[in-house]
Amino acid sequence: MFQHIESYAGDPILGLNDAFQKDPRPNKANLSIGIYFDDAGRIPVLDCVRQAEQQLVDEGGAKSYLPMEGMAACRKAVQELLFGAGHEAVTSGRIATLQTVGSSGGLKVGGDFIKRWLPDAQVYVSDPTWDNHRAMFEGCGLTVNTYPYYDPATGGVKFGAMLEAIQKLPRGSIVLLHACCHNPTGVDLSPAQWEQLVPVLKAGGLLPYLDLAYQGYGDGIEEDAFAVRALASAGLSFFIANSFSKSMSLYGERAGALSVVCQDAAEAELVLGQLRATVRRNYSSPPLHPGAVVARVLNDPALRASWEADVAAMRERILAMRKSLHAVLSAKLPGRNFDYFLSQRGMFSYTGLTPEQVDRLREDHAVYLVRSGRMCVAGLSTRNVEAVASAMAAVLA
Ligand code: LMR
């Protein structure tokens, strides 16, 4: 029955994380997977999450099924977080929001919906993008293409080429965009660039699909929602998958959502119905616990304030690590420009290291990066940043 099955080469990110766990070297540094570690190298459990969980345990509620679309209090809070409570798109009821199994679950449900209802649409992702975007949309039966994005020469965005390519896309194409903290490069569009892009998307009859996995890690919780609000205010229809894995440090709980912004409330009702059907066919309904935790943290004013302070602290620690890395590398290799570490945002930076240099870092120095040269800056700490920078300087020299 199974002799024809091909072996799975493994996932480039998750496989590396497994290899790191098995590495016996005591000085190892995990800069591979997109996980925020605190300065002691631990994945934090946020105080707001601990308190919300305690409240839920104390209340002892039943563990019934959630509806296919998830918990109502979570879905409402997600809309207000993404769009702002008073935004016309929220108050008019023209957004269909589902609580999903992480934002990956949201991306997948959205992909299946697109395949069913917009079967001729092709997907365009940035070059490069998160490895799993292509795999996920292709897994939904969609054709995936790229548009120009990262410019290795400048460590910034090829914005002119990006706009030109997007202008030429067939009407109805799906354009996957990272709302903030681009994964893997850390290179984001500025608000002014979003303001140039939005009319191009609108004029071209394109359907944006935003991925917002790192809200709060860029410039702030509100600031990082700039693209979401710009698209909604311009009247575009679009998808947005968002995650609480990083922002609430809830990785394994799979806390995320999918929102589809429609033209009016009647359309949103139809879209929500078909999204519910898609969920039922995939995993029936999302998990109760993460929905309840997210709802409580976002809706309770004290827990919300504590969460916002924690997100700010995580963001600032990453920025401090960027500065330390930049300082040590600039001192060790004064002929090279490492300013991109300072301008890139969020958990990731594209280091410019070749796959061979990444292999040397791992083999000779126990420093783990994805082979594309992507570094998870959130894995740096005051204890390892000097050693990591020295190892990088050694392989770059
Ligand atoms: C990453 O890019 O490392 C994270 O989003 C984790 C993942 O699932 O790949």
Side-chain angles (χ1 to χ4, degrees), residues 52-95:
E53 288 183 319
Q54 193 58 57
Q55 291 174 11
L56 291 166
V57 169
D58 293 347
E59 288 163 18
K63 307 283 187 191
S64 184
Y65 290 122
L66 282 179
M68 293 167 271
E69 67 274 22
M71 185 175 282
C74 171
R75 296 164 54 226
K76 180 166 179 292
V78 164
Q79 286 191 355
E80 293 177 355
L81 175 71
L82 298 182
F83 297 87
H87 196 288
E88 167 280 323
V90 174
T91 54
S92 67
R94 64 182 178 93
I95 310 171

Side-chain angles (χ1 to χ4, degrees), residues 11 13-14 32-35 104 130 132 183 213-214 246 348 374:
D11 181 84
I13 298 172
L14 302 182
S32 60
I33 194 163
I35 292 182
S104 295
W130 181 47
N132 212 24
N183 180 5
Y214 301 89
K246 335 283 171 169
F348 303 115
R374 183 191 84 167

